[in-house]
């Protein structure tokens, strides 16, 4: 241990401000990067899930319409034959 | 000889591989950084000229050399992507850019905080500092280009060309302290075989440096995985993976 007391450790031989500024800024930037990387990953997953939901809904609507079209066509042809 | 590498060209395999090594890398990063930084702050001897301000060295130098190392990695990835149309390389280059930018910023800020007590100024337009600042701008340009296009292949190409043009800056940073008269001191650690540092200062540095390398790998793995997902969002394996993830989240919430 290079320091006799905790206050000497904080003081860093008079360079405390500069040393703790460096370590503080580095820690803060790395935490920001960590946060943005993790939330970015979740964001990507959420985006893909949303797009998938939208596409599923569109497909459902399309299939329903096709069914309705077929039904209306068949009723039309029935009417014509009648 | 290189056949064992081939499966990793598959995005799905790479995605799961990165996920598998992620916890190990995190554990190693935490271990090495906690040992290294406590050693550096409390147990390493003070420099006979610079006193305790020398302790900034233990983050300044790893951050600065990693800022260049990450750029080199990004340039190699950009080159492989441009020449062999290897799409995963683009994803990895896009993952590296923000990490490199952060480490460049750390190197610049810790350098300023070290320069103030030692040189009497936060900033000076000397060769080493200016070329490192240009490196930061190159990183920011690459990030901007990656995000500027909806089409990720086009974005990768544009960012890749900027990355390769910017490689010229790396030797300029490395040799700036030898080519020009600057305030910045020459290197102390990387003199091969005979570092001009005492051993009890060098060991905590080795721990910090390894710890930062592992931390960089952690960041790159996380971002690489998101890039793979975003670029393969219409593939069935991504679709099943995403719906599984959402289902799991729902059960967790309940």
């Amino acid at each position: 241990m290079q320091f006799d007391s905790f206050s000497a450790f904080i003081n860093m031989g008079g360079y405390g401000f500069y040393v703790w500024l460096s370590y503080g800024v580095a820690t803060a930037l790395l935490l920001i990067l960590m946060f943005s990387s993790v939330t970015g990953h979740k964001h990507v997953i959420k985006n893909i899930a949303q797009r998938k939901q939208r596409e599923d809904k569109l497909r459902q609507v399309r299939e329903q319409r096709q069914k309705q079209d077929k039904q209306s066509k068949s009723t039309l042809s029935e009417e014509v034959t009648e | 000889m290189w056949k064992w590498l081939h499966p990793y060209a598959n995005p799905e395999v790479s995605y799961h591989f990165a996920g598998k090594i992620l916890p190990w890398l995190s554990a190693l990063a935490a271990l090495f950084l906690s040992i290294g930084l406590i050693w550096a702050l409390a147990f390493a001897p003070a420099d006979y000229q610079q006193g305790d301000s020398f302790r900034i060295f233990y983050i300044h130098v790893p951050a600065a050399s990693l800022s260049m190392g990450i750029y080199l990695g990004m340039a190699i990835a950009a080159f492989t992507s441009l020449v062999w149309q290897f799409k995963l390389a683009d994803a990895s280059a896009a993952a590296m850019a923000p990490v490199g930018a952060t480490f460049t910023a750390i190197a610049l800020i810790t350098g300023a905080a070290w320069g103030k007590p030692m040189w009497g100024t936060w900033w000076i337009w000397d060769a080493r500092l200016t070329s490192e600042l240009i490196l930061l701008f190159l990183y920011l340009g690459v990030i901007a280009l990656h995000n500027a296009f909806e089409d990720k292949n086009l974005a990768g190409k544009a960012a890749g060309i900027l990355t390769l043009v910017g490689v010229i800056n790396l030797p300029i940073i490395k040799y700036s302290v030898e080519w020009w008269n600057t305030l910045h001191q020459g290197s102390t650690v990387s003199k091969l075989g005979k570092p001009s540092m005492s051993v009890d200062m060098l060991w905590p540095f080795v721990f910090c440096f390894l710890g930062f390398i592992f931390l960089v790998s952690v960041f790159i793995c996380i971002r690489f995985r998101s890039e793979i997902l975003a670029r393969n969002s219409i593939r069935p394996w991504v679709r099943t993976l995403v719906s599984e993830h959402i289902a799991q989240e729902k059960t967790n919430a309940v």
Side-chain angles (χ1 to χ4, degrees), chain B residues 9 18 21 42 50 54-55 62 67 70 73-75 80 99 103 109 150 166 170 176 181 196 203 205 207 210 212 221:
Chain B
I21 60 173
Q50 308 196 354
F54 157 80
R55 295 177 200 284
S67 73
I70 296 169
M74 196 170 77
T80 19
V99 185
F103 275 82
I109 295 171
E150 195 67 33
L170 289 185
S176 57
N181 280 322
S196 48
W203 270 110
F205 171 78
F207 272 84
L210 286 174
F212 277 117
C221 272

Side-chain angles (χ1 to χ4, degrees), chain B residues 6-23:
Chain B
H6 289 184
Y8 295 101
N10 178 341
E12 187 178 359
V13 176
S14 283
Y15 179 87
H16 290 299
F17 177 70
K20 232 175 256 168
I21 60 173
L22 196 51

Side-chain angles (χ1 to χ4, degrees), chain A residues 9-65:
Chain A
F9 177 63
I10 296 298
N11 188 37
M12 282 283 161
Y15 295 114
F17 173 70
Y18 302 107
V19 172
W20 295 116
L21 178 72
S22 303
Y23 279 77
V25 168
T27 314
L29 285 176
L30 290 174
L31 284 179
I32 291 171
L33 183 63
M34 184 54 99
F35 181 77
S36 88
S37 303
V38 172
T39 51
H41 193 70
K42 284 183 186 156
H43 191 73
V44 167
I45 290 179
K46 216 167 134 193
N47 266 354
I48 297 175
Q50 270 174 354
R51 199 185 310 162
K52 184 169 173 270
Q53 235 172 13
R54 211 176 303 138
E55 285 171 8
D56 286 350
K57 231 176 240 172
L58 280 177
R59 194 176 305 127
Q60 263 181 358
V61 171
R62 209 183 307 132
E63 278 166 7
Q64 258 178 2
R65 278 212 190 124

Side-chain angles (χ1 to χ4, degrees), chain B:
Chain B
M1 179 185 170
W2 293 100
K3 228 167 188 176
W4 59 271
L5 249 178
H6 289 184
Y8 295 101
N10 178 341
E12 187 178 359
V13 176
S14 283
Y15 179 87
H16 290 299
F17 177 70
K20 232 175 256 168
I21 60 173
L22 196 51
W24 296 99
L25 289 173
S26 314
L28 283 171
L31 181 74
F32 276 84
L33 275 180
S34 49
I35 294 175
L37 289 177
I38 291 172
W39 196 345
L41 276 172
F43 295 96
D47 187 72
Y48 80 101
Q49 270 184 330
Q50 308 196 354
D52 288 311
S53 78
F54 157 80
R55 295 177 200 284
I56 296 173
F57 165 90
Y58 293 106
I59 32 180
H60 176 72
V61 173
S65 36
L66 282 171
S67 73
M68 291 163 65
I70 296 169
Y71 197 93
L72 191 64
M74 196 170 77
I76 292 170
F79 186 77
T80 19
S81 149
L82 282 175
V83 174
W84 291 289
Q85 305 289 319
F86 179 48
K87 288 190 184 137
L88 266 187
D90 260 352
S92 68
M96 284 183 230
V99 185
T102 309
F103 275 82
T104 313
I106 291 175
L108 283 168
I109 295 171
T110 54
W114 198 3
K116 181 64 185 163
M118 289 301 112
W119 307 336
T121 175
W122 294 97
W123 182 261
I124 180 173
W125 293 100
D126 99 346
R128 178 52 79 77
L129 280 68
T130 310
S131 51
E132 183 78 7
L133 185 67
I134 291 171
L135 186 72
L136 179 64
F137 292 147
L138 280 170
Y139 272 124
L140 295 181
V142 170
I143 296 171
L145 278 178
H146 270 298
N147 294 315
F149 298 90
E150 195 67 33
D151 177 357
K152 286 296 169 202
N153 281 333
L154 196 62
K157 244 178 225 167
I161 289 168
L162 176 63
T163 309
L164 289 181
V165 171
V167 168
I168 186 67
N169 196 27
L170 289 185
I172 295 180
I173 299 176
K174 176 99 176 84
Y175 295 107
S176 57
V177 285
E178 293 168 26
W179 291 346
W180 293 287
N181 280 322
T182 91
L183 271 182
H184 198 286
Q185 67 184 76
S187 75
T188 41
V189 180
S190 62
K191 283 183 194 164
L192 278 178
K194 203 180 166 193
S196 48
M197 257 180 118
S198 78
V199 177
D200 43 358
M201 285 176 168
L202 191 65
W203 270 110
F205 171 78
V206 170
F207 272 84
C208 286
F209 195 56
L210 286 174
F212 277 117
I213 289 176
F214 287 126
L215 189 63
V216 164
S217 331
V218 168
F219 286 134
I220 292 177
C221 272
I222 297 175
R223 303 194 81 97
F224 181 55
R225 277 158 61 90
S226 339
E227 292 290 339
I228 292 179
L229 286 189
R231 278 150 208 264
N232 294 282
S233 58
I234 50 169
R235 306 262 174 226
W237 71 268
V238 175
R239 289 294 162 100
T240 47
L241 196 131
V242 165
S243 36
E244 272 167 21
H245 187 90
I246 296 289
Q248 206 174 33
E249 239 174 32
K250 268 181 191 159
T251 52
N252 283 351
V254 170

